[in-house]
Amino acid sequence: MAVLSKIRQRSLILILVIGFCLFAFVVQDVIRNGRFASNTNVGSVNGTDIPVKEFVQKVSDLERNQPGISPTQASNAIWNQEVENILYTERFEDAGLRVGRDHVINMYSQNPQVAQNPQFLNALGQFDKAKFNEFLANMKTSNPDQWRMIESNRPLVEASAKKQIYTAMVKAGFVATNLDAKARYQAESDKVTFDYVYVPFSTINDEEVTIADDAIISYMKKNEKKYKSEPTRSIEYVKIEDKASGEDELALRNEINSMLTARVVGNDTVAGFREMKFEDVPEFVNKNSDIRFDTTYVAKKDIPVEHAEEIFNLAKGDVYGPYQEDGYLKLTKMMDKKSGGSAKASHILITYKGAMRANPTIELTKEEAKAKADNLLKQVNANPSSFAALAAENSEDPGSKNNGGTYDNIVPGQMVPQFNDFVFNSPVGKTGVVETDFGYHVIKVDAKYDAVQLATIALSVQPSEATSDAVFEKAAQFELDAQEKPFEEVAKAASLSPVQVQKLLPNDEAVQGLGSQRAIVMWAFSKDTKEGSVKKFDTSDGHVIARVTNVNTTGLLPLEEAKLVVGPILRNEKKAEMIKEKMKGDTLEAVAQASGSKVSTAENVTLSGAMVPTVGPEPKVVGTAYALEKDKTSGLVIGKSGVFMLKVKSVEKAPELPNYNSYLSRVEREEKNRVNQLITPALKENADIEDERSNN
């Protein structure tokens, strides 16, 4: 029973993950044989299938090459890659794009791993294609396996080269005319001043306006592209945690307390943790603790703050605890104390050509590096407060240059010997230049800390088998009851509060409040799961019972989300009609009096800004003002935040320019810069994409 209980607690769905590696100089294990012999597809793009086998293989590749990537992140990355590959390949074929060896080499040269490799640089430190070609030619003979691996990566590189050319072609098609430039100049430079009466939508309470669900759905259907959505599911769930009970914690406390004093184990009497000899402590801790003995000396600031005072002030041999921290019940014994056991120091590393791990771009000689370090030391001694700025500007140590060059809590032996000796053999405040294999270090000793060596017995606070079994039975009973009774009623009886999740997408990984729970998402979108379906899921720390509350297959936003997005639009439309009934009159003064508002003035408003002072962005209102003649009054204008009536007082036209070249180049540059962000969404919007991942 106990084994089954643990299996129930720890069972997780194994999700295949995928990956994509950008081309690189050396790509290891790019393509391997697939593990699944399925002939089905995970989807299609414009009729081109994406086979499961190849897709899963790329899952495995990315999982292997990018440790830590989540399954859904990887899946989405590969899916986007496959969709884009198909869409762009279609465009490449239509455009007749071809790339040759020079294009491929050029793409490699854009990769820092290749371009900055010293063996491919010429005397000027620039990438040399001839050297790279020679390297590949030699590799074909000397290391054919590696050569074949690089060649197998060629299609990815060629695709990247084609995409670069295609993007450049599209950019070339974006041009601005003198009319565009002049329009931009006028939009930024012309100014209009107008009086207006404004009645905000907020003058009518939302509760006074009712929006029917049918009206929201109808509005979305009329604007289908804007409110398009993948299928969604809404769920509610409760979580029953599998955690230690009060009885479990009491038993654990009794167990750890029993270690304090001598006890009989078999025929032997074992000394207690409190009085045992120091040399016996490490073995005792390793035998009885869930965390092994650590010989490291630590400063007071590195001890958990809520226990630091008591632990740090223990006399040698004394024991503190039991106390609870980070999910463990602990006993801590003072093993040793020493002054200056750890230190804080700042440094500026100046490397030179040939130094260990020096950046290939470094050109300083060893003598020049030493002279630079000596000069920096003089600056530090003249103005100690400048150290952080000097480190940020000069240090070649990426691990510390952005935090003032500082390393805190350095322990003896942590740094290279020369660095270590200077820090621990010098008083606080001492500065100097030290040479190591990495270069020259300008060092300042910032602080030294007393340090202690501690021995800690830590027992993980876990539920007992009996507790876990009881929790499992409670969750199983909840699942059974929720099949027959209202979910809310069952939750209330169990003293639990259901959590509502309004929008799950087919390829989501996380569930609000639960973190990564792909199994729940897959179940919610399963063909066999209907609205009202209930299922229990075992998690690492308990059990989740979920119920599907809504199944949305319309291709539009789910209703609950649409109420938040579309609801305000329809509500404001109704409010506008109600406000217009109040804004009677032909003049601003009459309308202001009728609506209980006032006449305000907006001065020097530009069309590009479209801001009405104290109101906010109102492009329709400002556009109306520019379209009116001086002293003319508009009708009622429905803006973003309310209803307006306006009267133009003046329009100040900017003077004509001899030419608009500066505006022309800016408009064209801005349009070209948008191309990279626009191409892929445009291709996807006009493609027939079928995503079947959730069904595989």
Side-chain angles (χ1 to χ4, degrees), residues 124 172 232 239 246 358 545 686:
L124 299 176
T232 62
K239 183 175 182 180
I545 302 91
N686 291 284

Side-chain angles (χ1 to χ4, degrees), residues 631-690:
D631 296 327
K632 293 293 184 180
T633 302
S634 72
L636 297 179
V637 181
I638 301 174
K640 294 181 66 175
S641 61
V643 182
F644 295 75
M645 177 181 275
L646 49 147
K647 179 180 180 180
V648 172
K649 297 178 72 174
S650 67
V651 177
E652 182 184 333
K653 294 287 186 179
E656 295 281 338
L657 298 179
N659 65 71
Y660 298 92
N661 292 342
S662 62
Y663 287 89
L664 182 67
S665 60
R666 179 152 63 93
V667 171
E668 190 166 294
R669 183 173 63 252
E670 289 173 358
E671 289 302 312
K672 289 180 184 294
N673 287 342
R674 296 173 62 226
V675 167
N676 287 338
Q677 289 76 43
L678 295 176
I679 293 181
T680 301
L683 292 176
K684 287 183 177 180
E685 185 175 342
N686 291 284
D688 180 15
I689 300 173
E690 297 290 336

Side-chain angles (χ1 to χ4, degrees), residues 518-592:
R518 179 64 183 154
I520 295 178
V521 178
M522 292 176 68
W523 164 75
F525 282 90
S526 169
K527 293 177 181 178
D528 297 330
T529 302
K530 312 297 181 186
E531 191 169 306
S533 294
V534 176
K535 185 173 176 62
K536 177 178 72 67
F537 297 87
D538 301 332
T539 66
S540 60
D541 59 350
H543 310 277
V544 172
I545 302 91
R547 184 177 81 93
V548 175
T549 58
N550 178 262
V551 174
N552 174 30
T553 58
T554 63
L556 299 172
L557 291 180
L559 185 57
E560 291 304 316
E561 184 180 357
K563 286 180 180 179
L564 301 176
V565 178
V566 178
I569 297 173
L570 299 181
R571 189 173 294 110
N572 285 344
E573 286 182 358
K574 285 194 172 185
K575 287 183 178 182
E577 295 305 315
M578 297 166 69
I579 289 172
K580 286 164 70 174
E581 290 297 319
K582 301 177 184 178
M583 297 177 72
K584 301 294 186 182
D586 296 325
T587 66
L588 296 186
E589 291 74 18
V591 170

Side-chain angles (χ1 to χ4, degrees), residues 591-619:
V591 170
Q593 184 175 4
S595 61
S597 187
K598 64 179 181 178
V599 179
S600 302
T601 301
E603 295 184 341
N604 299 324
V605 179
T606 63
L607 191 60
S608 62
M611 297 285 292
V612 176
T614 73
V615 175
E618 287 289 353

Side-chain angles (χ1 to χ4, degrees), residues 136-298:
L136 291 178
N138 291 335
M139 180 188 291
K140 188 173 182 179
T141 303
S142 63
N143 193 339
D145 289 340
Q146 190 176 40
W147 182 82
R148 280 192 294 271
M149 186 166 55
I150 290 177
E151 283 297 298
S152 71
N153 196 41
R154 181 187 286 269
L156 289 176
V157 184
E158 290 179 344
S160 296
K162 289 178 181 178
K163 186 174 181 180
Q164 194 174 79
I165 296 171
Y166 179 75
T167 302
M169 291 169 58
V170 176
K171 285 184 177 181
F174 276 75
V175 295
T177 67
N178 284 329
L179 289 176
D180 296 323
K182 185 176 181 179
R184 174 66 66 87
Y185 167 70
Q186 291 173 336
E188 294 178 356
S189 305
D190 290 352
K191 297 175 182 177
V192 64
T193 297
F194 57 90
D195 292 334
Y196 65 92
V197 176
Y198 164 57
V199 179
F201 294 137
S202 58
T203 57
I204 299 176
N205 293 328
D206 288 352
E207 292 76 16
E208 298 178 48
V209 182
T210 303
I211 305 298
D213 293 349
D214 289 346
I216 293 175
I217 295 171
S218 176
Y219 184 87
M220 286 196 293
K221 286 181 177 178
K222 290 177 183 177
N223 301 273
E224 191 169 343
K225 277 193 174 182
K226 189 174 181 180
Y227 299 105
K228 188 177 180 181
S229 171
E230 296 180 74
T232 62
R233 299 291 185 269
S234 297
I235 66 169
E236 60 181 348
Y237 70 85
V238 296
K239 183 175 182 180
I240 302 176
E241 291 185 292
D242 186 12
K243 59 182 182 180
S245 65
E247 291 81 2
D248 295 335
E249 291 188 13
L250 179 60
L252 195 67
R253 188 170 290 272
N254 290 337
E255 180 183 351
I256 203 168
N257 276 329
S258 70
M259 299 181 192
L260 283 169
T261 55
R263 52 183 174 160
V264 177
V265 178
N267 296 322
D268 300 323
T269 299
V270 179
F273 188 55
R274 180 177 283 126
E275 71 273 4
M276 70 172 41
K277 297 176 181 178
F278 287 110
E279 58 267 26
D280 296 333
V281 169
E283 182 182 355
F284 185 84
V285 170
N286 290 337
K287 180 180 285 188
N288 293 282
S289 175
D290 293 328
I291 299 176
R292 293 183 65 80
F293 178 75
D294 186 354
T295 59
T296 304
Y297 281 77
V298 296

